[in-house]
Every structure is written in structure tokens, then in C-alpha cells.
Amino acid sequence: MLTYNSSCENDTRSFAAEFASKLHGGDVVAFTGGMGMGKTVFVSGCADVLGIETHVSSPTFSIVNDYGGKFSVYHFDMYRVESWDSLYSTGFFDYLNENSILFIEWSENIDNVLPENTIYVDFSRGENENDRTITVHGGDGRW
Ligand SMILES: Nc1ncnc2c1ncn2[C@@H]1O[C@H](COP(=O)(O)OP(=O)(O)OP(=O)(O)O)[C@@H](O)[C@H]1O
Ligand SMILES: [Mg+2]
């Protein structure tokens, strides 16, 4: 397990870049922690390292963004996904393969279907407005 204290958006971005250098095909990155914590910021911090040239933005309405890159990188927002039917229609199960990397915001909503080697990235708030404690665990002990 790895814990990092971020005190601004740029801290989160640089921590994310370091994190992303350890990712490989087949990884599922599941975010937890609530609204406005920095999940989308974190994914954008991973972009350069993963060779993503597309602009990273919140897939709130599209549910999934496809970024391509060195791997096939998919960015989900499960905020509105509350049933099996809606989960199936996101294509989640079709995107899981050894060449893909999945980032999943609001993974709380689908935690019963996450694979065993899922990498969990949890955010919690600290004392100051911009403080975030980011905890990474899972991924077969890489963190
Ligand atoms: N330490 C920090 N790390 C990341 N973002 C921060 C930090 N401090 C402040 N922020 C601000 O918090 C906001 C985080 O927004 P972001 O869209 O990444 O959150 P999110 O967790 O994806 O939210 P949502 O659940 O709505 O998708 C941004 O406005 C960012 O500037
Ligand atoms: Mg977001």
C-alpha cells in the first residue's frame, strides 16, 4: 500500500504520472472517495506517460471515453450506473482485455464485478481545502 499527501492539483498530477509508469495492459484502476476529489485530474496526470494524446475529460454523460495511446485506455464514470443492465450497456465487460487499461470513476457502484487484481486509488480530504490523501493498493502487490 502506498499513501501520498497531495496539497494541490499539480501534486496529484505528478503523483499520477509516477503511478502510471507502473501500469501495464490488463490493469483496472478503480477510484473511490466521492465528488470533486481529483479523480479526473489524476487520470489526466497519467495521460503523457501512457501516450494519450486525446484531451482527458470527465465521461459523465458519455460514460466511457476511449483514449487509445500505448495501450487501449478507457475512462469510465459509473456515477449513474446503478443496475446490471446499465453496467452491461456501458460495454465494461467488452473492454477488459490484456491490452487495455481501464480507469473507473465511482467504482463504488460496481465494486462487486471488479477483477481480483484491481488497483484501488482512494481519495480522502485533509485539513486544508486542497488537501487530498491518496491511497493506492492492490494490483498484485505492486503498491
Ligand atoms: N490536491 C488536489 N488534487 C486534485 N484536485 C484538486 C486538489 N485540490 C483541489 N483540487 C480541485 O478539485 C477539483 C477536482 O476535480 P475532478 O474533476 O478531478 O474531481 P473528480 O473526483 O473527478 O469529481 P467527480 O466525482 O465529479 O467526477 C478540481 O477543480 C481541482 O482543481
Ligand atoms: Mg471526474
Side-chain angles (χ1 to χ4, degrees):
M1 191 170 100
L2 173 67
T3 299
Y4 177 78
N5 292 315
S6 164
S7 45
C8 65
E9 186 174 323
N10 275 342
D11 277 357
T12 297
R13 270 183 218 286
S14 49
F15 177 64
E18 202 183 304
F19 165 87
S21 66
K22 291 192 186 176
L23 290 177
H24 53 60
D27 279 338
V28 174
V29 181
F31 297 103
T32 56
M35 199 164 284
M37 295 298 266
K39 302 180 291 293
T40 302
V41 164
F42 189 100
V43 177
S44 74
C46 295
D48 274 358
V49 176
L50 298 178
I52 297 171
E53 287 170 0
T54 320
H55 174 69
V56 169
S57 61
S58 181
T60 305
F61 296 102
S62 57
I63 309 282
V64 57
N65 292 341
D66 176 353
Y67 298 133
K70 196 154 63 171
F71 306 96
S72 298
V73 181
Y74 302 104
H75 182 187
F76 290 86
D77 186 341
M78 299 302 188
Y79 187 68
R80 290 181 172 75
V81 174
E82 284 162 345
S83 66
W84 274 97
D85 277 359
S86 57
L87 176 59
Y88 270 104
S89 62
T90 66
F92 173 75
F93 297 102
D94 307 325
Y95 291 110
L96 276 173
N97 64 63
E98 73 267 15
N99 202 32
S100 65
I101 293 177
L102 273 52
F103 289 103
I104 305 170
E105 298 198 27
W106 291 96
S107 70
E108 291 94 332
N109 287 352
I110 65 152
D111 59 4
N112 51 343
V113 302
L114 291 169
E116 207 173 318
N117 63 345
T118 295
I119 300 154
Y120 291 90
V121 178
D122 179 62
F123 286 80
S124 60
R125 284 185 186 275
E127 212 168 288
N128 298 312
E129 195 188 329
N130 295 339
D131 287 349
R132 307 284 190 272
T133 300
I134 308 172
T135 305
V136 181
H137 65 100
D140 292 327
R142 248 173 293 160
W143 286 274

mmCIF file of all heavy atoms in Angstrom, residues 34-67:
data_model
loop_
_atom_site.group_PDB
_atom_site.id
_atom_site.type_symbol
_atom_site.label_atom_id
_atom_site.label_comp_id
_atom_site.label_asym_id
_atom_site.label_seq_id
_atom_site.Cartn_x
_atom_site.Cartn_y
_atom_site.Cartn_z
ATOM 1 N N GLY A 34 -15.534 9.933 -3.581
ATOM 2 C CA GLY A 34 -16.552 10.985 -3.587
ATOM 3 C C GLY A 34 -16.308 12.080 -4.602
ATOM 4 O O GLY A 34 -15.344 12.050 -5.370
ATOM 5 N N MET A 35 -17.182 13.050 -4.554
ATOM 6 C CA MET A 35 -17.247 14.070 -5.611
ATOM 7 C C MET A 35 -16.153 15.136 -5.498
ATOM 8 O O MET A 35 -15.819 15.565 -4.392
ATOM 9 C CB MET A 35 -18.611 14.744 -5.516
ATOM 10 C CG MET A 35 -19.004 15.480 -6.769
ATOM 11 S SD MET A 35 -20.758 15.851 -6.762
ATOM 12 C CE MET A 35 -21.417 14.244 -7.169
ATOM 13 N N GLY A 36 -15.615 15.519 -6.654
ATOM 14 C CA GLY A 36 -14.670 16.632 -6.701
ATOM 15 C C GLY A 36 -13.358 16.379 -5.979
ATOM 16 O O GLY A 36 -12.675 17.306 -5.537
ATOM 17 N N MET A 37 -12.976 15.122 -5.852
ATOM 18 C CA MET A 37 -11.757 14.788 -5.104
ATOM 19 C C MET A 37 -10.501 14.886 -5.951
ATOM 20 O O MET A 37 -9.398 15.029 -5.426
ATOM 21 C CB MET A 37 -11.873 13.372 -4.533
ATOM 22 C CG MET A 37 -12.960 13.240 -3.506
ATOM 23 S SD MET A 37 -12.628 14.300 -2.094
ATOM 24 C CE MET A 37 -11.792 13.160 -1.026
ATOM 25 N N GLY A 38 -10.648 14.741 -7.277
ATOM 26 C CA GLY A 38 -9.471 14.807 -8.146
ATOM 27 C C GLY A 38 -9.264 13.560 -8.990
ATOM 28 O O GLY A 38 -8.176 13.340 -9.514
ATOM 29 N N LYS A 39 -10.308 12.767 -9.156
ATOM 30 C CA LYS A 39 -10.185 11.535 -9.951
ATOM 31 C C LYS A 39 -9.864 11.856 -11.407
ATOM 32 O O LYS A 39 -8.968 11.267 -12.012
ATOM 33 C CB LYS A 39 -11.479 10.706 -9.857
ATOM 34 C CG LYS A 39 -11.857 10.321 -8.436
ATOM 35 C CD LYS A 39 -13.130 9.498 -8.374
ATOM 36 C CE LYS A 39 -14.391 10.262 -8.736
ATOM 37 N NZ LYS A 39 -14.733 11.309 -7.749
ATOM 38 N N THR A 40 -10.610 12.803 -11.968
ATOM 39 C CA THR A 40 -10.375 13.165 -13.369
ATOM 40 C C THR A 40 -9.009 13.832 -13.523
ATOM 41 O O THR A 40 -8.280 13.573 -14.490
ATOM 42 C CB THR A 40 -11.513 14.066 -13.896
ATOM 43 O OG1 THR A 40 -12.753 13.362 -13.749
ATOM 44 C CG2 THR A 40 -11.328 14.401 -15.361
ATOM 45 N N VAL A 41 -8.628 14.657 -12.562
ATOM 46 C CA VAL A 41 -7.287 15.267 -12.557
ATOM 47 C C VAL A 41 -6.226 14.167 -12.559
ATOM 48 O O VAL A 41 -5.237 14.224 -13.304
ATOM 49 C CB VAL A 41 -7.111 16.188 -11.324
ATOM 50 C CG1 VAL A 41 -5.646 16.525 -11.075
ATOM 51 C CG2 VAL A 41 -7.939 17.456 -11.476
ATOM 52 N N PHE A 42 -6.426 13.146 -11.741
ATOM 53 C CA PHE A 42 -5.475 12.029 -11.643
ATOM 54 C C PHE A 42 -5.328 11.333 -13.003
ATOM 55 O O PHE A 42 -4.209 11.069 -13.454
ATOM 56 C CB PHE A 42 -5.967 11.039 -10.584
ATOM 57 C CG PHE A 42 -4.995 9.954 -10.216
ATOM 58 C CD1 PHE A 42 -4.230 10.058 -9.061
ATOM 59 C CD2 PHE A 42 -4.853 8.827 -11.010
ATOM 60 C CE1 PHE A 42 -3.330 9.046 -8.708
ATOM 61 C CE2 PHE A 42 -3.952 7.822 -10.670
ATOM 62 C CZ PHE A 42 -3.194 7.925 -9.524
ATOM 63 N N VAL A 43 -6.448 11.056 -13.662
ATOM 64 C CA VAL A 43 -6.374 10.387 -14.977
ATOM 65 C C VAL A 43 -5.618 11.272 -15.971
ATOM 66 O O VAL A 43 -4.772 10.791 -16.737
ATOM 67 C CB VAL A 43 -7.777 10.024 -15.524
ATOM 68 C CG1 VAL A 43 -7.672 9.396 -16.918
ATOM 69 C CG2 VAL A 43 -8.503 9.069 -14.579
ATOM 70 N N SER A 44 -5.862 12.578 -15.923
ATOM 71 C CA SER A 44 -5.154 13.457 -16.865
ATOM 72 C C SER A 44 -3.659 13.478 -16.551
ATOM 73 O O SER A 44 -2.838 13.607 -17.458
ATOM 74 C CB SER A 44 -5.769 14.858 -16.886
ATOM 75 O OG SER A 44 -5.422 15.557 -15.732
ATOM 76 N N GLY A 45 -3.292 13.288 -15.288
ATOM 77 C CA GLY A 45 -1.871 13.192 -14.920
ATOM 78 C C GLY A 45 -1.204 11.931 -15.450
ATOM 79 O O GLY A 45 0.014 11.884 -15.590
ATOM 80 N N CYS A 46 -1.989 10.919 -15.736
ATOM 81 C CA CYS A 46 -1.463 9.648 -16.276
ATOM 82 C C CYS A 46 -1.267 9.707 -17.788
ATOM 83 O O CYS A 46 -0.586 8.861 -18.377
ATOM 84 C CB CYS A 46 -2.435 8.497 -15.991
ATOM 85 S SG CYS A 46 -2.659 8.099 -14.251
ATOM 86 N N ALA A 47 -1.877 10.708 -18.421
ATOM 87 C CA ALA A 47 -2.013 10.706 -19.878
ATOM 88 C C ALA A 47 -0.678 10.667 -20.625
ATOM 89 O O ALA A 47 -0.491 9.817 -21.504
ATOM 90 C CB ALA A 47 -2.844 11.908 -20.323
ATOM 91 N N ASP A 48 0.247 11.551 -20.288
ATOM 92 C CA ASP A 48 1.514 11.625 -21.024
ATOM 93 C C ASP A 48 2.266 10.301 -20.994
ATOM 94 O O ASP A 48 2.711 9.798 -22.022
ATOM 95 C CB ASP A 48 2.420 12.715 -20.424
ATOM 96 C CG ASP A 48 2.096 14.069 -21.024
ATOM 97 O OD1 ASP A 48 1.211 14.129 -21.902
ATOM 98 O OD2 ASP A 48 2.737 15.055 -20.601
ATOM 99 N N VAL A 49 2.386 9.758 -19.787
ATOM 100 C CA VAL A 49 3.123 8.509 -19.609
ATOM 101 C C VAL A 49 2.509 7.379 -20.440
ATOM 102 O O VAL A 49 3.216 6.503 -20.942
ATOM 103 C CB VAL A 49 3.140 8.120 -18.109
ATOM 104 C CG1 VAL A 49 3.819 6.785 -17.886
ATOM 105 C CG2 VAL A 49 3.820 9.194 -17.283
ATOM 106 N N LEU A 50 1.192 7.414 -20.597
ATOM 107 C CA LEU A 50 0.508 6.345 -21.332
ATOM 108 C C LEU A 50 0.389 6.665 -22.822
ATOM 109 O O LEU A 50 -0.226 5.921 -23.577
ATOM 110 C CB LEU A 50 -0.883 6.094 -20.727
ATOM 111 C CG LEU A 50 -0.882 5.621 -19.268
ATOM 112 C CD1 LEU A 50 -2.306 5.456 -18.755
ATOM 113 C CD2 LEU A 50 -0.115 4.308 -19.120
ATOM 114 N N GLY A 51 0.974 7.773 -23.250
ATOM 115 C CA GLY A 51 0.949 8.128 -24.670
ATOM 116 C C GLY A 51 -0.416 8.577 -25.164
ATOM 117 O O GLY A 51 -0.725 8.462 -26.353
ATOM 118 N N ILE A 52 -1.227 9.105 -24.239
ATOM 119 C CA ILE A 52 -2.566 9.565 -24.627
ATOM 120 C C ILE A 52 -2.476 10.971 -25.189
ATOM 121 O O ILE A 52 -1.936 11.871 -24.539
ATOM 122 C CB ILE A 52 -3.519 9.550 -23.406
ATOM 123 C CG1 ILE A 52 -3.699 8.129 -22.902
ATOM 124 C CG2 ILE A 52 -4.859 10.184 -23.745
ATOM 125 C CD1 ILE A 52 -4.437 8.040 -21.577
ATOM 126 N N GLU A 53 -2.980 11.160 -26.384
ATOM 127 C CA GLU A 53 -2.932 12.495 -26.986
ATOM 128 C C GLU A 53 -4.286 13.201 -26.932
ATOM 129 O O GLU A 53 -4.371 14.403 -27.068
ATOM 130 C CB GLU A 53 -2.433 12.390 -28.435
ATOM 131 C CG GLU A 53 -0.940 12.085 -28.451
ATOM 132 C CD GLU A 53 -0.400 11.719 -29.817
ATOM 133 O OE1 GLU A 53 -1.192 11.705 -30.781
ATOM 134 O OE2 GLU A 53 0.814 11.446 -29.894
ATOM 135 N N THR A 54 -5.325 12.413 -26.714
ATOM 136 C CA THR A 54 -6.673 12.975 -26.608
ATOM 137 C C THR A 54 -6.808 13.750 -25.296
ATOM 138 O O THR A 54 -6.200 13.376 -24.293
ATOM 139 C CB THR A 54 -7.713 11.822 -26.571
ATOM 140 O OG1 THR A 54 -7.293 10.827 -27.487
ATOM 141 C CG2 THR A 54 -9.100 12.300 -26.910
ATOM 142 N N HIS A 55 -7.590 14.819 -25.285
ATOM 143 C CA HIS A 55 -7.853 15.567 -24.065
ATOM 144 C C HIS A 55 -8.631 14.690 -23.075
ATOM 145 O O HIS A 55 -9.618 14.061 -23.436
ATOM 146 C CB HIS A 55 -8.653 16.837 -24.410
ATOM 147 C CG HIS A 55 -9.081 17.593 -23.200
ATOM 148 N ND1 HIS A 55 -8.185 18.259 -22.393
ATOM 149 C CD2 HIS A 55 -10.302 17.761 -22.643
ATOM 150 C CE1 HIS A 55 -8.845 18.818 -21.399
ATOM 151 N NE2 HIS A 55 -10.129 18.533 -21.519
ATOM 152 N N VAL A 56 -8.167 14.670 -21.835
ATOM 153 C CA VAL A 56 -8.854 13.880 -20.805
ATOM 154 C C VAL A 56 -9.952 14.732 -20.184
ATOM 155 O O VAL A 56 -9.698 15.852 -19.733
ATOM 156 C CB VAL A 56 -7.862 13.407 -19.719
ATOM 157 C CG1 VAL A 56 -8.586 12.822 -18.521
ATOM 158 C CG2 VAL A 56 -6.877 12.398 -20.301
ATOM 159 N N SER A 57 -11.162 14.219 -20.169
ATOM 160 C CA SER A 57 -12.260 14.954 -19.538
ATOM 161 C C SER A 57 -13.192 13.964 -18.866
ATOM 162 O O SER A 57 -13.100 12.760 -19.097
ATOM 163 C CB SER A 57 -13.032 15.758 -20.584
ATOM 164 O OG SER A 57 -13.568 14.864 -21.530
ATOM 165 N N SER A 58 -14.067 14.472 -18.053
ATOM 166 C CA SER A 58 -14.966 13.597 -17.308
ATOM 167 C C SER A 58 -15.978 12.940 -18.234
ATOM 168 O O SER A 58 -16.691 13.620 -18.960
ATOM 169 C CB SER A 58 -15.688 14.421 -16.250
ATOM 170 O OG SER A 58 -16.529 13.564 -15.533
ATOM 171 N N PRO A 59 -16.045 11.614 -18.237
ATOM 172 C CA PRO A 59 -17.004 10.944 -19.120
ATOM 173 C C PRO A 59 -18.397 10.827 -18.502
ATOM 174 O O PRO A 59 -19.088 9.845 -18.712
ATOM 175 C CB PRO A 59 -16.365 9.571 -19.327
ATOM 176 C CG PRO A 59 -15.489 9.360 -18.155
ATOM 177 C CD PRO A 59 -15.203 10.671 -17.499
ATOM 178 N N THR A 60 -18.814 11.848 -17.775
ATOM 179 C CA THR A 60 -20.071 11.766 -17.024
ATOM 180 C C THR A 60 -21.267 11.411 -17.901
ATOM 181 O O THR A 60 -22.068 10.566 -17.547
ATOM 182 C CB THR A 60 -20.347 13.092 -16.303
ATOM 183 O OG1 THR A 60 -19.209 13.380 -15.506
ATOM 184 C CG2 THR A 60 -21.561 12.993 -15.399
ATOM 185 N N PHE A 61 -21.375 12.036 -19.042
ATOM 186 C CA PHE A 61 -22.547 11.782 -19.874
ATOM 187 C C PHE A 61 -22.333 10.690 -20.906
ATOM 188 O O PHE A 61 -23.245 9.958 -21.257
ATOM 189 C CB PHE A 61 -23.045 13.081 -20.503
ATOM 190 C CG PHE A 61 -23.513 14.033 -19.450
ATOM 191 C CD1 PHE A 61 -22.720 15.090 -19.044
ATOM 192 C CD2 PHE A 61 -24.713 13.808 -18.786
ATOM 193 C CE1 PHE A 61 -23.119 15.936 -18.023
ATOM 194 C CE2 PHE A 61 -25.128 14.645 -17.751
ATOM 195 C CZ PHE A 61 -24.328 15.716 -17.374
ATOM 196 N N SER A 62 -21.077 10.562 -21.371
ATOM 197 C CA SER A 62 -20.786 9.519 -22.357
ATOM 198 C C SER A 62 -20.533 8.173 -21.674
ATOM 199 O O SER A 62 -20.496 7.150 -22.328
ATOM 200 C CB SER A 62 -19.567 9.902 -23.176
ATOM 201 O OG SER A 62 -18.464 10.125 -22.318
ATOM 202 N N ILE A 63 -20.336 8.209 -20.339
ATOM 203 C CA ILE A 63 -19.994 7.030 -19.531
ATOM 204 C C ILE A 63 -18.577 6.519 -19.807
ATOM 205 O O ILE A 63 -17.851 6.198 -18.889
ATOM 206 C CB ILE A 63 -21.009 5.843 -19.670
ATOM 207 C CG1 ILE A 63 -22.436 6.306 -19.443
ATOM 208 C CG2 ILE A 63 -20.641 4.701 -18.735
ATOM 209 C CD1 ILE A 63 -22.855 6.507 -18.004
ATOM 210 N N VAL A 64 -18.163 6.447 -21.079
ATOM 211 C CA VAL A 64 -16.798 5.967 -21.327
ATOM 212 C C VAL A 64 -16.123 6.798 -22.414
ATOM 213 O O VAL A 64 -16.738 7.125 -23.430
ATOM 214 C CB VAL A 64 -16.777 4.455 -21.673
ATOM 215 C CG1 VAL A 64 -17.640 4.121 -22.876
ATOM 216 C CG2 VAL A 64 -15.354 3.954 -21.892
ATOM 217 N N ASN A 65 -14.865 7.170 -22.157
ATOM 218 C CA ASN A 65 -14.036 7.825 -23.170
ATOM 219 C C ASN A 65 -12.954 6.846 -23.602
ATOM 220 O O ASN A 65 -12.379 6.158 -22.773
ATOM 221 C CB ASN A 65 -13.344 9.080 -22.603
ATOM 222 C CG ASN A 65 -14.305 10.193 -22.287
ATOM 223 O OD1 ASN A 65 -15.435 10.213 -22.780
ATOM 224 N ND2 ASN A 65 -13.879 11.125 -21.449
ATOM 225 N N ASP A 66 -12.680 6.823 -24.902
ATOM 226 C CA ASP A 66 -11.677 5.924 -25.471
ATOM 227 C C ASP A 66 -10.484 6.772 -25.894
ATOM 228 O O ASP A 66 -10.597 7.608 -26.781
ATOM 229 C CB ASP A 66 -12.326 5.219 -26.676
ATOM 230 C CG ASP A 66 -11.344 4.321 -27.413
ATOM 231 O OD1 ASP A 66 -10.147 4.336 -27.090
ATOM 232 O OD2 ASP A 66 -11.802 3.611 -28.323
ATOM 233 N N TYR A 67 -9.333 6.594 -25.215
ATOM 234 C CA TYR A 67 -8.184 7.461 -25.471
ATOM 235 C C TYR A 67 -7.117 6.860 -26.365
ATOM 236 O O TYR A 67 -6.163 7.545 -26.711
ATOM 237 C CB TYR A 67 -7.512 7.841 -24.143
ATOM 238 C CG TYR A 67 -8.384 8.623 -23.206
ATOM 239 C CD1 TYR A 67 -8.478 8.270 -21.871
ATOM 240 C CD2 TYR A 67 -9.091 9.728 -23.657
ATOM 241 C CE1 TYR A 67 -9.273 8.994 -20.999
ATOM 242 C CE2 TYR A 67 -9.884 10.455 -22.787
ATOM 243 C CZ TYR A 67 -9.977 10.080 -21.463
ATOM 244 O OH TYR A 67 -10.763 10.804 -20.605
#
